[in-house]
Amino acid sequence: MHADYVIVGAGSAGCAMAYRLAEAGRRVIVIEYGGSDAGPFIQMPGALSYPMNMGIYDWGFQSEPEPGLGNRRLATPRGKVVGGSSSINGMVYVRGHARDYDTWAEMGAQGWSYADVLPYFKRMEHSHGGSGPEYRGTDGPLHITRGPRTNPLFDAFIESGRAAGYPVTQDYNGAQQEGFGPMEATIWKGRRWSAANAYLKPAVATGNVQVVRGFARKVVIENGRATGVELDTRAGRQVIRAGREVILAASSINSPKLLMLSGIGPAAHLREHGVEVVADRPGVGQNLQDHLEIYMQFAAAQPVTLYKYWNLLGKAWVGANWLFLNRGLGTSNQFEACGFIRSRAGIEYPDIQYHFLPIAVRYDGKAAAGGHGFQVHVGPMRSKSRGAVTLRSGRPEDAPVIRFNYMSHPDDWEEFRACIRLTREIFAQAPMTPFVKHEIQPGPGVVTDEEIDAFIRDHAESAYHPCGTARMGRAEDPMAVVDPECRVIGVQGLRLADSSIFPQVTNGNLNGPTIMTGEKAADHILGKTPLPASNLPAWINPDWREKQR
């Protein structure tokens, strides 16, 4: 089997690249280990807590014991299904802040500033309800919608942010991220609008793209050039040949693992596991970042939450309405209001994110608080802690070693304490007080720094935004893994384009930036001149040096 391009991973970036390469008339094979994304557990937005907890759809990765979190192991879900993590995520759509991308460019990712990436966000988007065509795309493959916000808690949360002195933004993906407002989602006509639905299925329909199921073992490299991918299939082990290039898009966990198994990585580490060194790149697997968050939960004074449906009959009612009538609660991910704020004066742009949810329940769908309640997911956006993905062995079948080193930087604790205290202030505002009965967690007894730190240590969870493990940078940077055109440094004919290449984690959820990465990488792969840069301004609070809000 052979094609012009072989892409490993049918996830957010891989699907976008397959679509653009097919559009240009190239023949593409996409290798995906996971199976079909059909069925209500994936396609029904309201069922979002199920697929990431199902072994059929999730790789089942876990971190090593995290010393900063009481040696807990944290789940690290990654999609093992067509559509990748865009088929198992919460469907929240956030571009990130303009300054995120300017920072990338300053860190060596030349050509990836906000002015450079904004045209690609616009090309990929079909925005419904955004701020208009100046900042938003209106005819791209990726439909982006807003929930109906019929539950009174959503607007109460937004108005409480306003009452606390924060701005309200009508489109955090437009000119102004900072503030409270409606949340956007990759949902279209009541269905999850994953990268598979938006990009891969139309690409396959052109006849230029073929999806091959198999487990990628390594990149085949001959005389310093990637020529194919070795994989295990039901028919046995085989090599799929690439006439032009091999492209890795297998996630920030599996992409560095594949690089190392292929001989690209820290030389001593590869030799330790019996892997022949092709290119000594010490940055492979390093620079691992994530967003950590806590769930602040409140008992509801009025029975307006989703708790009434938190039983077998209620769930059956929601599912039936979605399945047969395409309406009701199942058509929303229930993340319909959000906020982005700065933790203190002197912070240039938001470093705290809020997801509001009208039920008190864990993200994995377990342990609903007894009775009516609601919660907000809150956490810092730019932790200084860094971890690594390394090989457990030289066997491709073995899961990699994942160490985030969560809360290993002292600033993380100060930022998290600010999250909790600022959130309590917001929920004490007049628009929310009619709905708040009392705080469930952390609980009114958790007040001092020491008490808050203990709560964080025991209860902080990953927001499932791992990235950075094959950092993009200047070709002469010894810790860079790919150059600004996504070419793996030190090997010909090999590119990598997914969240691995982010120099620094972006503000908010990573699906949007990952798809954008695939879109932009496709132009580099095709040798196209990048889309013309945009000089539209991004709003920065003029008083950020002196004021927190």
Side-chain angles (χ1 to χ4, degrees):
M1 296 180 71
H2 66 276
D4 296 326
Y5 296 97
V6 177
I7 299 173
V8 181
S12 299
C15 291
M17 287 187 287
Y19 178 94
R20 295 301 178 190
L21 295 174
E23 185 180 58
R26 305 296 194 267
R27 291 183 305 114
V28 182
I29 288 176
V30 180
I31 298 169
E32 173 56 50
Y33 183 53
S36 168
D37 62 339
F41 287 123
I42 285 179
Q43 298 301 332
M44 183 170 82
L48 63 91
S49 66
Y50 289 97
M52 73 166 56
N53 294 289
M54 298 171 71
I56 190 174
Y57 299 134
D58 171 36
W59 282 90
F61 295 135
Q62 277 193 322
S63 76
E64 296 300 297
E66 290 286 344
L69 297 177
N71 286 320
R72 287 188 291 137
R73 290 179 180 265
L74 268 61
T76 310
R78 291 294 87 192
K80 187 182 67 178
V81 59
V82 169
S85 295
S86 76
S87 289
I88 69 169
N89 69 359
M91 291 156 281
V92 170
Y93 180 77
V94 183
R95 284 177 169 181
H97 195 279
R99 287 291 293 128
D100 290 327
Y101 302 102
D102 293 341
T103 301
W104 284 14
E106 291 161 10
M107 294 174 73
Q110 187 177 1
W112 291 77
S113 70
Y114 178 62
D116 298 312
V117 303
L118 177 57
Y120 287 96
F121 278 117
K122 290 176 68 175
R123 183 172 84 176
M124 74 194 221
E125 290 178 347
H126 191 141
S127 171
H128 302 265
S131 52
E134 189 179 19
Y135 282 88
R136 305 301 303 274
T138 55
D139 58 0
L142 190 71
H143 288 282
I144 297 152
T145 58
R146 299 168 175 212
R149 296 208 319 276
T150 51
N151 191 305
L153 290 167
F154 292 123
D155 284 339
F157 175 68
I158 294 169
E159 289 306 313
S160 290
R162 188 201 301 268
Y166 297 99
V168 168
T169 177
Q170 293 307 311
D171 186 2
Y172 63 84
N173 285 314
Q176 179 178 334
Q177 185 188 69
E178 187 168 337
F180 287 75
M183 188 158 249
E184 297 198 318
T186 49
I187 296 171
W188 177 235
K189 294 184 176 178
R191 293 178 67 219
R192 175 191 291 272
W193 201 245
S194 65
N197 287 332
Y199 286 98
L200 187 62
K201 289 166 188 175
V204 169
T206 68
N208 288 332
V209 175
Q210 180 184 359
V211 179
V212 174
R213 279 200 71 178
F215 178 77
R217 298 177 58 85
K218 66 176 182 177
V219 178
V220 177
I221 299 171
E222 299 169 331
N223 300 316
R225 182 176 186 85
T227 59
V229 177
E230 181 182 286
L231 72 159
D232 287 334
T233 69
R234 288 178 179 172
R237 189 163 299 169
Q238 59 181 284
V239 173
I240 296 182
R241 295 284 175 183
R244 294 175 183 254
E245 290 183 335
V246 173
I247 305 159
L248 299 184
S251 83
S252 58
I253 307 300
N254 277 325
S255 287
K257 176 191 168 188
L258 269 170
L259 283 178
M260 288 185 279
L261 289 171
S262 308
I264 304 159
H269 178 62
L270 302 188
R271 292 190 186 104
E272 178 189 342
H273 293 292
V275 178
E276 183 181 346
V277 179
V278 173
D280 180 11
R281 301 305 304 176
V284 174
Q286 303 301 303
N287 193 47
L288 175 62
Q289 300 163 58
D290 191 15
H291 289 142
L292 206 58
E293 64 185 10
I294 55 168
Y295 310 153
M296 291 192 67
Q297 298 182 332
F298 299 83
Q302 300 181 39
V304 293
T305 77
L306 300 181
Y307 182 72
K308 67 185 89 170
Y309 301 101
W310 203 256
N311 54 69
L312 198 58
L313 195 61
K315 290 178 181 179
W317 169 256
V318 170
N321 265 284
W322 177 83
L323 187 62
F324 299 114
L325 302 173
N326 193 34
R327 70 182 189 192
L329 294 170
T331 63
S332 170
N333 59 358
Q334 300 305 322
F335 291 116
E336 297 183 15
C338 67
F340 293 89
I341 66 171
R342 291 175 296 112
S343 61
R344 57 180 171 82
I347 302 286
E348 184 185 10
Y349 65 105
D351 60 337
I352 293 175
Q353 180 184 15
Y354 289 109
H355 299 69
F356 183 83
L357 191 63
I359 187 170
V361 62
R362 283 170 53 97
Y363 194 95
D364 61 10
K366 298 173 184 171
H372 282 277
F374 47 86
Q375 69 191 35
V376 66
H377 300 197
V378 59
M381 287 291 96
R382 293 186 292 282
S383 167
K384 297 181 181 70
S385 297
R386 295 291 181 270
V389 173
T390 53
L391 293 177
R392 193 172 299 276
S393 75
R395 288 167 35 88
E397 298 82 4
D398 291 344
V401 176
I402 304 168
R403 285 192 178 90
F404 286 97
N405 293 325
Y406 290 121
M407 305 301 291
S408 58
H409 195 285
D411 290 357
D412 294 342
W413 297 95
E414 185 179 339
E415 291 166 1
F416 249 118
R417 291 177 209 131
C419 287
I420 290 175
R421 289 174 172 139
L422 292 170
T423 303
R424 284 173 166 163
E425 182 190 8
I426 291 163
F427 276 81
Q429 300 300 312
M432 188 57 82
T433 50
F435 300 103
V436 176
K437 189 175 180 182
H438 59 83
E439 184 180 306
I440 299 172
Q441 74 168 36
V446 178
V447 177
T448 66
D449 285 0
E450 293 75 20
E451 290 164 345
I452 290 173
D453 289 354
F455 175 81
I456 294 164
R457 197 172 291 112
D458 291 342
H459 294 280
E461 300 278 357
S462 171
Y464 313 131
H465 300 159
C467 65
T469 49
R471 179 169 68 77
M472 176 168 45
R474 299 178 185 88
E476 62 272 18
D477 179 349
M479 293 304 290
V481 178
V482 303
D483 70 11
E485 293 192 15
C486 304
R487 295 174 294 209
V488 174
I489 300 166
V491 181
Q492 299 295 308
L494 179 61
R495 299 204 202 219
L496 196 167
D498 59 22
S499 65
S500 305
I501 74 170
F502 295 6
Q504 179 176 283
V505 67
T506 54
N507 258 21
N509 310 64
L510 298 194
N511 187 46
T514 305
I515 293 174
M516 179 278 293
T517 298
E519 282 268 8
K520 190 169 187 297
D523 277 4
H524 294 306
I525 293 162
L526 291 167
K528 288 186 172 184
T529 301
L531 296 177
S534 166
N535 291 313
L536 288 173
W539 188 85
I540 300 285
N541 189 313
D543 299 323
W544 67 267
R545 290 179 180 85
E546 295 81 31
K547 296 181 179 178
Q548 183 258 331
R549 65 190 89 171

